[in-house]
Amino acid sequence: MSDYCSAKPGSQQFPGQTSELIRGILRRYTRVAMVGLSGNSNRPSYFAATYLKDYGYEITPVNPAYDEIMGRKSYPTLEMAPAPLEIVDIFRKPEEVPAIVDEAIRLGARVIWMQLGVVHMESREKALAAGLEVVMDRCMKIEHARYHGGMNVTGLRTGVISAKRGRL
């Protein structure tokens, strides 16, 4: 059995992943290390980072392919990123998640956030056992917009949220 989910991104509900948990994380933490943040402004990670930055979150790019993203220094690894780590937002393939979660735990992160389509149950359980809060298969930008009235600027075609009427 694979740790990667084949369900539609954002369609799953995981035990303990409640709206209260998500709202609490969005309220308590403002430092976001975005692992896999792209310097390409057409990529979803860049769009999410721009949105979160506009709402007061401090974005730390973590991507060895770039020296700078959005005018901020990009770090090759979480270990090289400035401390303290609060939210580690993962924009990487599920098979890359275990190493990122291990590093985040070792460095004292508070939250693991896996983006839409990123599901890794073993890493989720490991992070929870280490005392971290975990959100999986959700977009931090979409969740912020959902709870803070910003859905009009979401601009993503994920299929998770739609303005189209369903067929009767």
Side-chain angles (χ1 to χ4, degrees), residues 152-166:
N152 59 330
V153 294
T154 303
L156 293 178
R157 289 173 293 199
T158 63
V160 175
I161 299 170
S162 175
K164 292 183 182 179
R165 288 191 174 146

Side-chain angles (χ1 to χ4, degrees), residues 111-155:
V111 177
I112 296 293
W113 192 298
M114 296 180 229
Q115 280 298 319
L116 286 172
V118 181
V119 174
H120 199 284
M121 294 303 290
E122 287 178 15
S123 292
R124 176 185 183 273
E125 295 306 316
K126 188 173 194 176
L128 288 170
L132 280 72
E133 295 176 283
V134 179
V135 176
M136 190 162 58
D137 193 28
R138 293 284 185 268
C139 174
M140 191 172 169
K141 176 188 156 308
I142 290 173
E143 296 303 317
H144 184 276
R146 178 190 322 265
Y147 297 117
H148 295 90
M151 291 306 291
N152 59 330
V153 294
T154 303

Side-chain angles (χ1 to χ4, degrees), residues 94-107:
E95 57 268 20
E96 296 179 36
V97 168
I100 296 166
V101 168
D102 287 346
E103 191 174 16
I105 291 169
R106 186 172 51 77
L107 295 171

